[in-house]
Amino acid sequence: MKTYRRQIREKILQALYTIELRDTDIDSAAGWLLTKEILDDPNAMKFFNVLIGSIKAHMSEIDCYIERHTFNWDMSRIAIIDKNILRMALAEILYCEDIPPKVSINEAIEIAKKFSSTEKSSKFVNGILDAIFNELKTEGKIHKNGRGLIDHSTAKLHK
């Protein structure tokens, strides 16, 4: 049976939520959430490991982007679910080269609707991610190529 990326994103969100509430590391928090279906799917495990590894390795950088775009909001005041949805989407945008940024943003919005802390969570997530994405695009920090992805190649620039 094929494992869908949304299921994996939801598992990662649950792991991130767990580490916010308990004194545990991300690997322990994520380990018990992996189903047999995910464990038996090599592509699912690859996506899981890349995404959770990116979040773990770049959490402080990701949090800086969030802090810059949540004016007058301390990170501790952002709902745990919303903050971790933002972290996950930004890790995808920055470090998963095969996923179009708009897909990452749309997935984050849909997950925010499902797990939202308030009715406005999905709008909050959308606004913050859109602002950060536009900043990253302007600064040339997104390097994605391929169908449906941003292409910064010189061939595209000359067209």
Side-chain angles (χ1 to χ4, degrees):
M1 176 178 269
K2 182 177 179 175
T3 306
Y4 296 100
R5 287 185 171 186
R6 173 139 344 138
Q7 293 172 309
I8 296 165
R9 288 179 180 101
E10 290 175 1
K11 296 293 184 189
I12 291 172
L13 177 62
Q14 292 168 340
L16 293 172
Y17 186 81
T18 301
I19 64 170
E20 291 272 345
L21 299 179
R22 296 183 138 181
D23 186 25
T24 187
D25 62 276
I26 199 162
D27 295 320
S28 299
W32 68 272
L33 292 165
L34 294 174
T35 63
K36 181 173 176 13
E37 182 182 30
I38 294 170
L39 290 167
D40 290 344
D41 184 338
N43 290 327
M45 284 306 299
K46 179 180 177 189
F47 177 64
F48 177 86
N49 289 324
V50 166
L51 186 52
I52 205 151
S54 297
I55 295 166
K56 188 167 96 172
H58 303 285
M59 181 88 74
S60 59
E61 177 190 3
I62 291 167
D63 284 354
C64 284
Y65 283 113
I66 296 169
E67 287 171 352
R68 276 204 311 262
H69 291 277
T70 50
F71 308 105
N72 301 319
W73 281 84
D74 185 72
M75 283 291 279
S76 64
R77 290 185 61 211
I78 300 172
I80 294 171
I81 294 288
D82 298 344
K83 178 174 32 179
N84 286 313
I85 290 171
L86 291 169
R87 285 174 172 158
M88 187 170 50
L90 286 172
E92 275 189 40
I93 290 168
L94 289 165
Y95 305 108
C96 296
E97 293 183 9
D98 65 327
I99 303 172
K102 296 293 183 183
V103 169
S104 300
I105 293 170
N106 287 336
E107 284 292 305
I109 293 166
E110 291 305 314
I111 291 170
K113 288 176 184 175
K114 182 175 181 179
F115 291 94
S116 67
S117 57
T118 71
E119 283 185 22
K120 296 181 180 179
S121 288
S122 61
K123 291 179 182 176
F124 172 77
V125 165
N126 183 29
I128 299 301
L129 288 176
D130 192 50
I132 295 171
F133 172 66
N134 286 329
E135 174 189 331
L136 292 169
K137 195 167 55 171
T138 301
E139 293 176 354
K141 292 186 178 177
I142 298 177
H143 306 288
K144 299 190 180 208
N145 294 300
R147 185 176 180 163
L149 303 173
I150 296 172
D151 189 351
H152 294 288
S153 68
T154 54
K156 287 278 185 186
L157 295 174
H158 293 294
K159 286 188 176 183

